[in-house]
Amino acid sequence: MPPDDLTDEADRVLRICTACMYCDGLCAVFPAIAGKHDFTPNDLDYLANLCHNCRGCWYACQYAPPHPFAVNLPNALAELRQRSYADYAWPRWLGAGFAANAGVVTAIVGGVTTLTLLATALLVPAEVLFAAHRGAGAFYQVVPWPIMAGAAAAALLWAVISIGVSAISYWRSIAPRASLGATLRALVPALRDIVTLRNLGGGGPGCNDASEKFSQQRRWCHHIMVAGFLASVASTLIAALYHHALAIEAPYPLTSLPVLSGGIGGVAMLIGIGGLLRLERRADRAPSAAAEVRLNLVFLVLLALVAASGLAVLALRDTPAMGLTLSLHLGLVIGSFVVLPVSKAVHGVYRSMALLRAAIDRAVPRPRRGGEE
Amino acid sequence: MTGASPMPTIDVLVVGGGSAALCAAIAARRHGATVRLVEQAPVHLRGGNSRHARNFRLLHDEAHWYVPDSYGEDAFLRDLHRVTAGATDEVLARLLIRGSADIAPWLQANGVALQDPRSGVMPHSKRTAFFLGGGKAMINALYATAASIGVEIGYDSEVVALQLDDAHCGEVVIARGGIAGPIVAKAVVLACGGHQADRAWLRESFGDIADGLVIRGTPYVTGRVLRMLLDAGAKPVGDPAQAHIVAVDARGPEVDGGIVTRITAIPYGIVVDRNAKRFHDEGEDARKTHYARWGARIAQCPGQIAYLIMDAAGRARALPTALPPIEADSVAALAAKLELDPQALSATVAGFNDAVRESGTEALVPPKSHGAAALTTPPFAAYPMRPGLTFTHFGVAVDPQMRVLTTDGHLENIFAGGMIMAANVLGRGYLAGLGVTLSAVFGRLAGEEAARHAAR
Ligand SMILES: Cc1cc2nc3c(=O)[nH]c(=O)nc-3n(C[C@H](O)[C@H](O)[C@H](O)COP(=O)(O)OP(=O)(O)OC[C@H]3O[C@@H](n4cnc5c(N)ncnc54)[C@H](O)[C@@H]3O)c2cc1C
Ligand code: HEM
Ligand code: SF4
Ligand code: SF4
């Protein structure tokens, strides 16, 4: 990538930061730039995704505007991060989907969902569709299992391949020169940083979610949302296990594992998402990138729709509305899988890899510097 | 009470907006006083030079999570005697050192986050503790705490007059957005820093050199209040022509460049003046604090400018700088970029290279006594350097209650804390981390004494 306004600005700001280093206790970005004289495009891709946008260094910066240095590291890195999403997208043309994300996601998810609803309405006889289904196999009377599973699997496969190829090329760009042993030894510390979101903690007191005040709200909301998400995924997997291995057919009783974990998961997701949306609304926009905020909002709304429609299936499963609700939920899930490679979802992959690189580098003693006076 | 007063009356007025002022305001408020703090800077540039600080020096007999080992009272005092060469008030120095022992817990109790020395990449130090996120983060935390306990805070508020009758301060006039209004306070804490950003005053002390000085810190420390105090008979301490001056990047801002424009790589190259001539032994002092000796030397150069010249090997050893060095493939080309005489610089470098022997120089005047290495590997790199003024060793004399002294006594209800009275203990020299310690300890003390005075 040739240098341009975004890389020039990141380079300018990062140089000031390496000379300053006052923020070195806030997150992994500062130890990663310590002692560096120059930043290659690959360095910038690494740092952009290592930053968790906790905004700590924005409020702590002695050179924030109106100072003539006008340092805004979170913004510079967020702009680059957004562009890295497009740059590493595979197939290449997919990158354009990040620019008008709301439109692309709405069109695709909307299209898939409409198609699913239409197909259900047209193909399933009304007396089956609007009957109050009870008992084993009721779900599959509306949408046959092979179609349901097949469509979802195909969409998921696409997402996994697309994001997987992107991830490989991203890792190739940022991978440090390290032995396999060193990489493996870094896995556990990296995983700890990924799971705990340590870098959303501002080095201890918390991050500046909405203002100068420290809080851990963003981190906790994310944890709750991800936990809910994982519980929902688990619910689907357990259901598949019941269906195939144990030959127990859905719908399952309220107290069964799939229903419990799906129900709790869906509610947790909505709680986490609600909290994150509230923080997005209150946050100071200066240290973020407009494109990133849009990407966040689109994905939050999408996740909320999926979670809410899943809960609706649970709530309405004994009523004549079950058929259409189920079809709506399926449509949203499949649509989400399709847009996953052009959504916020990629952040988890790139950030995890950046954290792995940071953990590998951490094993090598860092240069200490004279930052005091 | 005789009718409604047209002016607001409060217990303690704190003038300033850096660490000294905030510690004074919080301490006074916690002693039960009603407190107003007036800061001349706008909110986004609040915090004086404290905004640019990183660490503070503290007495501790045992390791804490935020500082390893120990640093005892005698060791602290010895260090202070060494750098000041005795220009310190023994009683106040002991007060400072003992006060530094509980400043870390006190700051933390007031919301300031310290950094775990095992995290990050900061230098190992048993004498100082580091603020997590630096001085601005410390300032933010103290402002938040001050506001939350009821300190009234005014930004863009400059004290423009102190009305003194005998030794008593009546009205204090504060200008805000072009409108001046008086405040009456039972006690006043002056914590508004030194006078290092007042070029006219610097010119009085330094002559023409003053125009070539870069002011490293905030432009809002103008010394206006210090001048008023002196005019009203306060007793000065120190010498306004003694200052902490360091080598800074000449391309940085004229004022407020802070820590990042410091040039710390002098031992890795040679330094020439604008005639492309060397003028001092670059290897004389390879300690971390060498840059603080070069400021005064550069100030004596014609045009107050000098150039650090390195080759690629020297640059690789240097710490990264905010602005990349000026680079060229030959010494002559570098000289052209620096607007120096190419022949003169080439001759200086060649003469230096010829004189280099194992780690020193032979028959070279001035010599480079340590770490001399020929400048041969392109690209060659240079930093233009100017003298950067951190603070002057000048202020008002105080007693151990932080009352401002006059030639024959003390002002009744005016207290001073921080850089404005630092010269009492720091008549000369500097110790890393002493600026903030001084402001926090004496600021806090001044606030407490002011609150006590107001309660009388
Ligand atoms: C670049 C740099 C780095 C430094 N690094 C360190 C370090 O790492 N550790 C350390 O201990 N020290 C350091 N120091 C020194 C340290 O910053 C100061 O010694 C200390 O912060 C002084 O605190 P103070 O509150 O007395 O003054 P300041 O922080 O300078 O505050 C003075 C305040 O008074 C206000 N003011 C001035 N005049 C008026 C007026 N008329 N009316 C109203 N308000 C007024 C100003 O706006 C300002 O807010 C550094 C200094 C600089 C310049
Ligand atoms: C794999 C590990 C993951 C890491 C390291 C990670 C990290 C982060 C971080 C640091 C942020 C805040 C900064 C930003 O807005 O970009 C964030 C935001 C977000 N994450 Fe994750 N995440 C991970 C997984 C997930 C998963 C599994 C989901 C979906 C369930 C998810 C959904 C979101 C959403 C929607 C936001 C935006 C929230 C907002 O608006 O602030 N993340 N993530
Ligand atoms: S204070 Fe500003 S310049 Fe310094 S490290 Fe933090 S963000 Fe960078
Ligand atoms: S915003 Fe937070 S995570 Fe990003 S560089 Fe700044 S301190 Fe680090």
Side-chain angles (χ1 to χ4, degrees), chain B residues 41-59:
Chain B
V43 60
H44 290 295
L45 293 170
R46 70 187 181 185
N49 280 357
S50 306
R51 192 176 105 235
H52 288 303
R54 175 82 216 253
N55 58 344
F56 60 103
R57 193 165 279 252
L58 71 171
L59 170 71

Side-chain angles (χ1 to χ4, degrees), chain A residues 373, chain B residues 20 39 49-50 54-55 159 192 220 419 430 433 435-436 439:
Chain A
E373 183 163 321
Chain B
E39 155 70 306
N49 280 357
S50 306
R54 175 82 216 253
N55 58 344
V159 168
C192 42
Y220 296 99
M419 220 54 216
Y430 188 62
V436 166
S439 298

Side-chain angles (χ1 to χ4, degrees), chain B residues 15-107:
Chain B
V15 182
S19 45
L22 287 159
C23 292
I26 291 170
R29 182 78 193 107
R30 293 212 188 276
H31 263 71
T34 54
V35 181
R36 175 173 305 177
L37 177 146
V38 286
E39 155 70 306
Q40 180 181 356
V43 60
H44 290 295
L45 293 170
R46 70 187 181 185
N49 280 357
S50 306
R51 192 176 105 235
H52 288 303
R54 175 82 216 253
N55 58 344
F56 60 103
R57 193 165 279 252
L58 71 171
L59 170 71
H60 56 112
D61 292 326
E62 55 184 2
H64 299 278
W65 67 264
Y66 49 84
V67 64
D69 293 344
S70 65
Y71 185 46
E73 185 169 337
D74 293 342
F76 199 149
L77 194 62
R78 232 178 297 125
D79 285 343
L80 193 59
H81 277 303
R82 177 172 47 81
V83 295
T84 59
T88 190
D89 177 309
E90 195 77 23
V91 174
L92 290 175
R94 293 245 180 223
L95 200 59
L96 169 69
I97 292 172
R98 289 184 191 150
S100 78
D102 63 337
I103 210 70
W106 190 81
L107 286 172

Side-chain angles (χ1 to χ4, degrees), chain A residues 139 232 235 250-267 307-319 321-322 325-326 329:
Chain A
F139 283 133
S232 309
S235 149
Y252 306 108
L254 275 178
T255 53
S256 67
L257 262 184
V259 174
L260 271 183
S261 70
I264 294 173
V267 171
S309 62
L311 288 176
V313 174
L314 276 184
L316 303 177
R317 59 196 201 148
D318 293 338
T319 72
M322 188 274 271
T325 315
L326 176 64
H329 180 58

Side-chain angles (χ1 to χ4, degrees), chain B residues 364-439:
Chain B
L364 187 70
V365 185
K368 181 169 179 185
S369 51
H370 293 96
L375 309 182
T376 49
T377 337
F380 298 91
Y383 291 105
M385 299 183 292
R386 293 227 277 151
L389 179 69
T390 319
F391 59 83
T392 60
H393 294 281
F394 183 66
V396 286
V398 296
D399 69 7
Q401 279 85 53
M402 301 296 116
R403 290 181 300 203
V404 174
L405 297 179
T406 55
T407 33
D408 53 357
H410 60 80
L411 298 178
E412 205 180 287
N413 61 341
I414 298 191
F415 301 79
M419 220 54 216
I420 191 170
M421 46 66 69
N424 287 276
V425 286
L426 202 58
R428 207 174 301 146
Y430 188 62
L431 282 175
L434 200 64
V436 166
T437 297
L438 213 147
S439 298

